């Protein structure tokens, strides 16, 4: 009987040197004492590089987080450090006269503006932003979302149903930001908002007190990690902005990530 031919297997191509995607800095954290303490340390560090806004002029309202900026930020920074969202927002603000001009632009024009940034699936994100901004305008006759702060939860949900272009993870970001603002800046009882965030118990109450004290000079949740850098460079001094650091401690919503 002839010898059997040796069995050979096809070698798989080497992948050891293939670049791996960096870990997502936005992975949610359980609201435990350990994570509360670590978040406070990170919050103090990033706030040291984000100066508080100047006092408002007489008769002007205090500074507040622009919720449309929050939409843009989450589309471009999802799965990435916040510096990418910050740089994308800066370029869009400088590249268009106002949001009405931005509203009527094409997705490929926004892509050209951001092409040198290593943002995965950039065109898909630009298209999602363009469609979202257009639908917000069609619903509100303007590109603004500040009315959501005064809207009840039911009215907010109704609005999101009318604007289906807002992707699930962006809606989750907006609603969580609104809950965070209620907990950290409201003069009223924050018990219900803390319950929605799952921040209950002595450790959570201590965290809220310390976070409120840190953020009081700001009056809002910043999306920045520090100053904009010259040469259109991305600021990577800190992975996450104050808003996104706190976001990690909120319940994870259903996500349809853009990357």
């Amino acid at each position: 009987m002839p010898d059997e031919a040796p069995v050979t297997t096809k070698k798989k191509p080497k992948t050891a040197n293939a670049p791996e995607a960096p870990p997502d800095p936005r992975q949610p954290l359980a609201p435990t004492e350990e994570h509360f303490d670590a978040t406070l340390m990170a919050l103090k560090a990033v706030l040291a590089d984000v100066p508080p806004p100047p006092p408002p002029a007489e008769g002007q309202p205090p500074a507040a987080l622009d919720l449309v900026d929050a939409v843009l930020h989450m589309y471009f920074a999802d799965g990435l450090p916040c510096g990418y969202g910050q740089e994308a927002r800066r370029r869009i603000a400088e590249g268009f006269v106002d949001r009405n001009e931005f509203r009527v632009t094409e997705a490929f024009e926004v892509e050209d503006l951001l092409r040198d940034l290593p943002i995965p699936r950039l065109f898909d994100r630009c298209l999602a932003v363009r469609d979202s901004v257009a639908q917000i305008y069609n619903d509100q006759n303007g590109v603004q979302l500040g009315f959501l702060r005064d809207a009840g939860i039911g009215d907010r949900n109704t609005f999101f149903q009318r604007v289906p272009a807002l992707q699930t993870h962006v809606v989750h970001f907006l609603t969580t930001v609104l809950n965070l603002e209620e907990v950290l800046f409201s003069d009223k009882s924050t018990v219900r908002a803390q319950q929605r965030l799952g921040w209950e118990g002595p450790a959570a109450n201590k965290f809220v007190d310390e976070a409120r004290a840190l953020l009081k000079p700001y009056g809002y949740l910043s999306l920045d990690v520090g100053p904009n850098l010259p040469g259109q460079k991305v600021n990577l001094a800190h992975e996450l902005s104050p808003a996104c650091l706190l976001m990690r401690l909120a319940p994870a919503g259903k996500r349809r990530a853009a990357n």
Side-chain angles (χ1 to χ4, degrees):
M1 185 175 180
D3 293 338
E4 295 182 0
V7 177
T8 60
T9 57
K10 188 176 181 180
K11 291 184 178 180
K12 295 181 179 180
K14 291 183 179 180
T15 58
N17 296 325
E20 294 184 2
D24 184 352
R26 300 172 186 280
Q27 288 298 315
L29 298 173
T32 64
E33 183 174 4
E34 177 186 3
H35 290 153
F36 282 137
D37 290 344
T39 299
L40 279 174
M41 289 182 60
L43 187 61
K44 291 176 183 177
V46 69
L47 287 177
D49 290 333
V50 179
E58 186 176 355
Q60 296 297 314
L65 174 61
D66 187 317
L67 296 179
V68 176
D69 272 353
V71 168
L72 299 180
H73 184 82
M74 185 42 51
Y75 272 124
F76 291 116
D78 189 39
L80 301 166
C82 279
Y84 289 97
Q86 178 175 335
E87 177 61 17
R89 289 185 291 108
R90 184 194 67 77
R91 294 187 189 186
I92 289 170
E94 292 184 357
F96 298 92
V97 173
D98 54 27
R99 283 184 176 151
N100 193 52
E101 182 189 10
F102 178 66
R103 172 182 65 88
V104 298
T105 194
E106 297 293 339
F108 72 85
E109 296 179 83
V110 184
E111 182 188 32
D112 285 343
L113 192 67
L114 308 176
R115 190 179 298 279
D116 61 300
L117 299 177
I119 298 177
R121 297 185 64 212
L122 177 59
F123 179 78
D124 292 342
R125 298 184 192 226
C126 293
L127 184 60
V129 165
R130 193 265 179 201
D131 290 347
S132 296
V133 169
Q135 287 190 8
I136 291 169
Y137 180 88
N138 290 340
D139 188 85
Q140 296 296 311
N141 196 30
V143 187
Q144 52 84 30
L145 292 173
F147 70 93
L148 290 174
R149 289 191 171 91
D150 297 322
I153 293 176
D155 290 334
R156 291 175 189 170
N157 291 337
T158 299
F159 168 74
F160 293 136
Q161 290 170 4
R162 297 197 306 265
V163 186
L166 281 172
Q167 294 186 359
T168 308
H169 68 289
V170 177
V171 171
H172 175 63
F173 185 72
L174 282 175
T175 54
T176 304
V177 161
L178 293 169
N179 283 329
L180 289 170
E181 288 185 342
E182 186 176 347
V183 168
L184 297 166
F185 303 111
S186 175
D187 294 328
K188 302 176 182 178
S189 171
T190 64
V191 172
R192 294 188 67 180
Q194 284 185 230
Q195 289 174 342
R196 290 195 292 270
L197 292 170
W199 293 2
E200 300 180 87
N205 293 334
K206 178 176 178 290
F207 171 76
V208 168
D209 289 342
E210 295 191 36
R212 285 176 70 100
L214 286 172
L215 292 165
K216 186 176 181 179
Y218 296 81
Y220 70 100
L221 294 172
S222 175
L223 298 168
D224 292 346
V225 293
N228 293 320
L229 300 181
Q232 297 191 329
K233 294 180 180 178
V234 175
N235 190 331
L236 298 175
H238 306 278
E239 279 197 320
L240 295 178
S241 66
C244 294
L245 280 169
L246 295 164
M247 181 82 176
R248 295 188 72 188
L249 291 167
K254 294 180 180 179
R255 292 170 54 84
R256 186 172 65 203
N259 64 339

